[in-house]
């Protein structure tokens, strides 16, 4: 397997992989809006998309955001989201390899920590993240979600 940052031309492959992320997700807006969001993400050096490839096909990915910070000596921190592996390629080390690449990049940017949250509640998922270097006992996460009736706006 090869792991590297996902290229600008791979949006469709990434969106296809995201079908394995959630059983149900909000529908995407029109293609022009999705492309505009993708270009905004690619244009910001703080957002990185890492992919794992088998035979040139994207089969695993995660997103890393490097966040500037005024504590910890102004060292940034990282946030990893949207960790996904194609269902046909799970339990083969691909997800762990993608996470390792994201962590390596975060450390190279001077991040003092990287956080990751999961909505999964099964022990196997917890063990997977712990085996990839994450500690579930260090902090407690809290999440606030937008009210259901709040409209969405896109750039």
């Amino acid at each position: 397997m090869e792991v590297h940052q996902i290229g600008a031309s791979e949006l469709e492959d990434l969106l296809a992989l995201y079908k394995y992320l959630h059983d149900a997700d909000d529908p995407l807006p029109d293609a022009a809006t999705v492309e505009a969001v993708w270009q905004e993400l690619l244009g910001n050096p703080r957002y990185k998309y890492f992919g794992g490839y088998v035979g040139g096909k994207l089969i695993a990915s995660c997103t890393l955001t490097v966040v500037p910070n005024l504590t910890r000596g102004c060292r940034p921190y990282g946030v990893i989201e949207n960790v996904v592996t194609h269902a046909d390629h799970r339990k083969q080390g691909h997800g762990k390899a993608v996470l390792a690449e994201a962590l390596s990049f975060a450390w190279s940017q001077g991040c003092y920590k990287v956080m990751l949250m999961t909505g999964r509640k099964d022990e196997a998922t917890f063990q997977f993240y712990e085996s990839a270097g994450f500690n579930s006992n260090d902090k407690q996460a809290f999440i606030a979600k937008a009210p259901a009736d709040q409209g969405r706006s896109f750039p």
Side-chain angles (χ1 to χ4, degrees):
M1 182 181 74
E2 183 180 330
V3 179
H4 57 77
Q5 289 185 38
I6 294 174
S9 66
E10 297 179 272
L11 175 59
E12 292 302 319
D13 295 335
L14 181 61
L15 294 176
L17 184 60
Y18 279 171
K19 292 179 180 173
Y20 296 94
L21 188 58
H22 302 289
D23 293 333
D25 199 1
D26 293 344
L28 290 173
D30 61 276
T33 301
V34 173
E35 181 65 31
V37 170
W38 180 237
Q39 291 306 315
E40 178 183 357
L41 290 164
L42 291 174
N44 187 325
R46 298 200 177 280
Y47 301 117
K48 298 295 179 188
Y49 284 74
F50 295 93
Y53 300 81
V54 171
K57 180 179 174 166
L58 180 65
I59 54 95
S61 73
C62 74
T63 305
L64 170 70
T65 303
V66 176
V67 182
N69 184 30
L70 290 172
T71 66
R72 305 291 183 173
C74 287
R75 292 176 64 197
Y77 59 89
V79 179
I80 290 180
E81 278 285 335
N82 299 329
V83 179
V84 61
T85 300
H86 187 289
D88 294 343
H89 296 274
R90 292 184 179 154
K91 299 185 187 285
Q92 299 173 32
H94 304 307
K96 196 181 295 187
V98 169
L99 286 171
E101 187 72 14
L103 287 173
S104 177
F105 183 84
W107 306 148
S108 78
Q109 299 303 296
C111 289
Y112 80 94
K113 70 177 177 183
V114 174
M115 298 178 285
L116 176 149
M117 291 186 289
T118 181
R120 307 286 173 136
K121 307 290 186 215
D122 58 288
E123 189 61 34
T125 299
F126 299 157
Q127 289 175 358
F128 165 73
Y129 287 124
E130 288 174 353
S131 73
F134 292 88
N135 179 348
S136 63
N137 297 313
D138 217 24
K139 294 200 177 208
Q140 175 67 48
F142 294 87
I143 298 173
K145 293 189 176 183
D149 61 345
Q150 183 171 336
R152 291 190 282 173
S153 64
F154 296 96

